[in-house]
Amino acid sequence: METYYEWKSTIKINIFVLKLMGLWAKIDDSRRFNLYSLYTVITIIFFLYGSTIPQILYLVFVRTDLDTFTKLMFNMMTKSLLCMKALCLLQNAKIIQRLVESMNCDLFQVKTIKHWKLIRPALLIWRTTYFTFWSLATVTSSMWSIAPILDKSFKEHILPFLALYSYNIKKSPLYEISYVHQVIGLFITATTDTNLDSLIAALMMFIGAQCDILCDNLRNVDYKRFKEQLKVCMKHHKEILSFAAESNHFFNMIALGQFFTTGVSVATGMFRLSMVSPMSNESYCVLTFVTSMVVQVFLYCWFGNEVELK
């Protein structure tokens, strides 16, 4: 029973954080404008998109400057992908919330100690990967945020990320406002990305665990109640396939974008490491970023492979 509640609590962590980010409106309220909708506009449109678009525009103008281009490119790919992820989550809110609610149906419940033991290894891997990814993302975001303070470039009104604004950022308080805006947008990006990817991994973990439970039920069918229990197993199998199909409909394009973005970001980040001083603040930022990207794609690779095998 303890393992079951641990399993449910892991998904609740992701949902709680996504609610804080404005990405988890109630199903019946998803088409109506209310205070939570306003909060979503502020967090996603103003801070996430509002901090990413000026950086993308700046990237276009410096595309011939290799040093500046590579400095922005590996980070910009991740932010751009997250904007797409957030849009996908908002568009498929009903699907993803229906999937989470369907986890409470009787067929999906853990009923024996043996079932709990089957779930524990995947749960342990998920929790370890989640907290590793979350820690790396937090450290990376913090280092990027205070980088201008550490190297004292803030005295020259240098922002954490180069961006194209329609006003002069060299003047106060416009510089301070832009700085805070970028930092908030960065932490929203890191927090949302961490929990959204972890939620997708949790869905895949759930599918794999249900396959294990189904196989265990089939191996332990009571021949005195063969027909009855076989019907239950067949229904369970259909529910697993339905759950997997809906999950795939939600995150198939996200997974494709994640693999492409990770490949480009890691390659660009490693190239950037060869261009900076090994002991500089930027080198530490890039190194933690690349490491977090590797852990991020590990979520998809490990749990996706588990689903395929099972």
Side-chain angles (χ1 to χ4, degrees), residues 94 141 145 177 195 230 270:
K94 289 185 177 181
S141 302
S145 299
I177 294 174
N195 286 274
L230 184 61
M270 296 302 293

Side-chain angles (χ1 to χ4, degrees), residues 239-257:
E239 291 295 328
I240 294 173
L241 293 179
S242 177
F243 189 96
E246 283 200 298
S247 299
N248 186 65
H249 176 74
F250 163 62
F251 61 73
N252 56 356
M253 291 303 298
I254 292 179
L256 176 62

Side-chain angles (χ1 to χ4, degrees), residues 77-100:
M77 291 289 292
T78 302
K79 290 183 177 180
S80 300
L81 177 63
L82 181 60
C83 290
M84 185 270 288
K85 287 181 180 180
L87 183 61
C88 286
L89 181 58
L90 290 172
Q91 288 180 337
N92 296 280
K94 289 185 177 181
I95 293 177
I96 190 67
Q97 292 182 41
R98 185 167 61 248
L99 288 173
V100 173

